[in-house]
Amino acid sequence: MNRRSLLLGAGAVGLTAAVGGAAIAVAAPEDTEAGRRPQPLLTWELTGGFVPAGWNALRAPRLAAYDDGTLIADASRRLKISQGTLRSLRNHATAVLRDPDNTRRRPGAPVIADVPSTVFTVRGNGRRFRAQFEGLEETRSDRAYPPASYSLLDHLTQLRDRTLRTGSSYHPDAVRLIAVLLDPTQPPQQPALVGPWPAGVPVPHLRRDEFVAQLDLRDRQARALLRAVPRPDPARWPVFATPDGKHFQVNHRFLLPHE
């Protein structure tokens, strides 16, 4: 089986990352030429781990906070919080992430393979602070990182849960298309469930040896994809055939305001 035959679901082979290194902390000047789109004040993301092909591209930030107090969780729900609540979040995140000691992994902490890394990024006082923690949630019981890091995780988790529970639906006309090319030597298991490539949606172009494509679509193209795949399921990706006979597994998520 070559890598293009990997299907999504249990047992699919994806990227792996062992937990064993220190967190990565970065302080950089704020990007003043990020474009016209509103930039997030804070993001909480997961990356890596043992995941199927295309999964990391499909993964939305767990939480994004913007200067006007808008929170967006999982690119699916949105909530407006007060400026005081936003300021408390920014101050907390900045205090934790600007201190390198809060990102250092405890020597001798157990190593857990194939779990995702947690990435926190915050803007504050004209600077951008970013830290990456390998297996932050999974190593909590082992106290692999300092208490301040878990305190920030708890703060963000509380706001994310609140957004998912009480927020409104987030459905912009802007989506990220992820298409995984299937192995042409292995026909689909259920040919009857293969549909024609959706009208109005660009067909991905892959370079040699590539098998995962990502396209950000807006307005009319985004709406065409939403009509074809109205209820994306991370565990079940529909299969579409392009005019030249290629078969792609397809899924999507909504784009955030800064993407």
Side-chain angles (χ1 to χ4, degrees):
M1 177 185 298
N2 74 26
R3 62 181 183 174
R4 289 187 298 178
S5 65
L6 300 179
L7 304 181
L8 297 173
V13 177
L15 302 177
T16 59
V19 175
I24 300 170
V26 177
E30 187 174 324
D31 185 358
T32 58
E33 298 184 8
R36 295 186 178 89
R37 298 191 184 102
Q39 296 302 299
L41 177 70
L42 179 145
T43 56
W44 168 21
E45 301 170 276
L46 294 181
T47 185
F50 187 79
V51 293
W55 186 269
N56 273 316
L58 184 67
R59 211 180 232 160
R62 306 202 89 190
L63 189 71
Y66 295 86
D67 290 308
D68 65 351
T70 297
L71 302 181
I72 302 177
D74 299 347
S76 65
R77 307 287 291 182
R78 69 189 303 166
L79 179 71
K80 197 73 170 285
I81 59 174
S82 70
Q83 284 298 308
T85 302
L86 182 69
R87 185 164 53 251
S88 174
L89 174 62
R90 181 197 63 203
N91 292 344
H92 186 183
T94 300
V96 172
L97 300 182
R98 73 184 176 189
D99 185 349
D101 287 343
N102 290 328
T103 68
R104 293 196 177 102
R105 197 170 188 273
R106 176 174 62 83
V111 173
I112 304 176
D114 301 332
V115 295
S117 293
T118 295
V119 181
F120 297 136
T121 306
V122 66
R123 287 190 289 111
N125 300 321
R127 303 285 287 177
R128 184 172 65 92
F129 299 92
R130 177 183 182 273
Q132 180 170 326
F133 304 82
E134 296 181 354
L136 181 63
E137 297 180 71
E138 292 80 4
T139 60
R140 180 170 197 149
S141 62
D142 298 312
R143 300 177 182 176
Y145 292 98
S149 298
Y150 296 109
S151 173
L152 179 57
L153 175 64
D154 288 342
H155 194 162
L156 290 168
T157 298
Q158 180 185 35
L159 289 173
R160 175 176 177 266
D161 290 346
R162 177 181 164 190
T163 303
L164 292 173
R165 184 178 66 253
T166 66
S168 58
S169 295
Y170 175 70
H171 290 147
D173 286 345
V175 296
R176 175 160 295 167
L177 163 69
I178 308 300
V180 179
L181 179 64
L182 299 183
D183 189 341
T185 67
Q186 298 187 9
Q189 296 178 352
Q190 296 177 294
L193 299 182
V194 178
W197 189 261
V201 176
V203 176
H205 295 287
L206 298 173
R207 292 192 294 267
R208 183 179 178 85
D209 295 330
E210 286 185 335
F211 67 104
V212 179
Q214 172 181 314
L215 292 175
D216 288 349
L217 308 178
R218 302 179 190 278
D219 303 323
R220 186 175 301 175
Q221 292 179 341
R223 291 191 292 271
L225 179 60
L226 290 169
R227 286 193 296 270
V229 189
R231 289 177 295 278
D233 182 346
R236 300 182 64 182
W237 295 36
V239 178
F240 295 108
T242 62
D244 61 357
K246 293 185 178 71
H247 288 170
F248 284 93
Q249 283 184 306
V250 170
N251 217 323
H252 65 79
R253 71 163 175 86
F254 290 108
L255 289 172
L256 296 181
H258 67 280
E259 293 181 314

